[in-house]
Amino acid sequence: MNIKEQLDTKYYETKMLSVSSVKLFAQNPARALDDWNGVYKWFSNKQELNFGNYVHSGIQDALEDTDKYLKKFINETPDMFTKAGTLLAKFRLADTVLNKFLSSATFKELLEARNIYKMFVEKPFMSEYQGISYKGKIDLMFIDDKNKNIHCIDFKTSRPYAQNGIEWGTMLDGSQKKTSVAWHVEKLFPVQAGVYRQLLQDNGYSDYKIDYTYIVMTKETSPRIDIWNITHKAMNKGLDIFFENLVLADKYITGQAVAPIIFDDSAWAHEKSLERPNILLADLEDDDEEVLDYQEKKLFTGIV
């Protein structure tokens, strides 16, 4: 086993909080705690994850001039394929998106950068904050040691959204807001970017200038490729959000605080309603402020 494989093994085998797991604790602490403890998995349908992982594996192959990552993914995800080894119809779009991106000008620029700078793909890092360990893996990074610059890139697949990037969506606290989709709970680009910048700074790159870009491919037969550049102010705010919720997640895990239960209409919440029913109130009309205020508090702050 080479050094990269050893690092990958340690990264995946070490149970440690990350951006994705902390995000779950911020959304629904009790549900996330059940997921963390293996009581009830958060993700019961892995189709969305498999779509993104298929595209990621293909991009990694193309960057490293190999075919081992997609082959490995195929071997580990047989339910995406027919007995003949071809993709099921519902997953063929992933292959379309992948190949469209690999033929794009954006990807050609990445190949050119590969010949100029040191390139690392799927690079794992670990650090800690207030004694709480956390980890992250950067999709792609180019390092310019001469000028002490690091350019980080993360690849994402996404449902189609407005071309200007502004839409109504769900925020981390469960509220609805019309804002940049980068801050919507399913994306949170500035949070991840801020954390990964910090991981780099804590692992030998504190004197480097670090910038972060997201390359987003929409899930369409003719995918749109968006380039999201994350400002340092946004990364600073994202890191603050992460650290605040990292501390809370650790308190829930270690039993220092009771994890609130959020009735989020998931299968997990439905199971919980068998033990504690979802209490609603019918009073006046649905737009009555007092009733709506009661319902909002019920949905987002209820503690069992």
Side-chain angles (χ1 to χ4, degrees):
M1 184 182 292
N2 60 38
I3 294 176
K4 183 179 184 301
E5 290 172 337
Q6 290 174 4
L7 287 172
D8 285 345
T9 299
K10 182 180 179 182
Y11 178 86
Y12 285 113
E13 290 184 351
T14 304
K15 191 170 186 179
M16 195 180 298
L17 287 163
S18 63
V19 172
S20 57
S21 56
V22 168
K23 181 176 76 170
L24 301 184
F25 275 101
Q27 290 177 261
N28 193 330
R31 182 181 171 192
L33 188 60
D34 275 356
D35 178 77
W36 179 266
N37 291 326
V39 175
Y40 199 108
K41 286 298 178 184
W42 186 288
F43 297 104
S44 57
N45 186 340
K46 293 187 176 181
Q47 286 191 21
E48 294 294 316
L49 291 174
N50 287 341
F51 190 108
N53 289 337
Y54 180 91
V55 174
H56 269 73
S57 298
I59 293 173
Q60 188 173 1
D61 274 343
L63 287 168
E64 297 186 6
D65 292 324
T66 183
D67 62 358
K68 64 181 181 181
Y69 298 108
L70 198 50
K71 280 185 176 179
K72 183 175 183 289
F73 176 77
I74 291 170
N75 290 333
E76 294 176 349
T77 323
D79 55 342
M80 283 183 64
F81 302 86
T82 65
K83 291 182 179 179
T86 58
L87 278 166
L88 292 171
K90 60 184 176 182
F91 292 115
R92 287 176 195 157
L93 181 60
D95 195 59
T96 298
V97 170
L98 169 62
N99 286 296
K100 290 277 189 179
F101 176 67
L102 295 182
S103 66
S104 70
T106 300
F107 185 70
K108 289 181 174 65
E109 288 181 13
L110 299 181
L111 294 180
E112 291 172 4
R114 180 182 64 175
N115 298 324
I116 301 172
Y117 308 110
K118 285 197 303 187
M119 181 185 78
F120 295 92
V121 184
E122 296 289 333
K123 181 73 172 175
F125 292 97
M126 303 177 192
S127 189
E128 64 175 45
Y129 174 75
Q130 294 186 5
I132 306 167
S133 297
Y134 66 95
K135 63 182 180 180
K137 179 176 276 194
I138 299 175
D139 284 356
L140 175 64
M141 53 190 285
F142 293 112
I143 300 181
D144 178 1
D145 287 316
K146 181 180 178 180
N147 297 302
K148 290 188 175 295
N149 290 324
I150 300 178
H151 184 53
C152 298
I153 297 169
D154 204 281
F155 301 106
K156 300 291 186 185
T157 57
S158 171
R159 63 164 182 78
Y161 54 85
Q163 193 162 355
N164 66 0
I166 306 296
E167 279 191 357
W168 281 96
T170 304
M171 309 304 288
L172 188 59
D173 63 0
S175 64
Q176 296 290 314
K177 188 175 180 181
K178 187 174 184 180
T179 185
S180 167
V181 298
W183 285 102
H184 291 181
V185 70
E186 71 271 13
K187 290 183 172 59
L188 291 178
F189 296 162
V191 175
Q192 185 183 37
V195 172
Y196 287 8
R197 181 189 60 177
Q198 187 64 47
L199 283 168
L200 284 169
Q201 291 172 341
D202 291 346
N203 283 273
Y205 296 103
S206 59
D207 58 341
Y208 280 66
K209 181 181 178 181
I210 303 167
D211 61 71
Y212 225 103
T213 296
Y214 282 77
I215 299 177
V216 181
M217 296 148 268
T218 57
K219 298 177 181 179
E220 301 172 280
T221 52
S222 294
R224 189 180 76 229
I225 296 175
D226 288 348
I227 307 294
W228 288 85
N229 295 307
I230 313 301
T231 68
H232 286 283
K233 285 184 178 180
M235 283 192 272
N236 292 339
K237 179 180 178 180
L239 183 63
D240 288 343
I241 291 170
F242 174 78
F243 280 156
E244 177 185 353
N245 286 286
L246 176 73
V247 171
L248 284 173
D250 183 67
K251 287 182 177 179
Y252 299 139
I253 291 169
T254 57
Q256 298 176 60
V258 177
I261 179 173
I262 310 298
F263 287 95
D264 55 10
D265 202 32
S266 64
W268 172 88
H270 294 180
E271 290 286 337
K272 288 294 180 183
S273 72
L274 299 177
E275 306 167 11
R276 182 185 177 90
N278 185 31
I279 307 300
L280 303 172
L281 178 68
D283 188 3
L284 300 176
E285 296 180 11
D286 289 343
D287 61 351
D288 181 80
E289 290 184 5
E290 188 174 324
V291 174
L292 291 176
D293 182 60
Y294 169 87
Q295 299 290 15
E296 183 173 336
K297 289 179 180 178
K298 163 71 173 53
L299 285 170
F300 297 117
T301 61
I303 298 178
V304 174

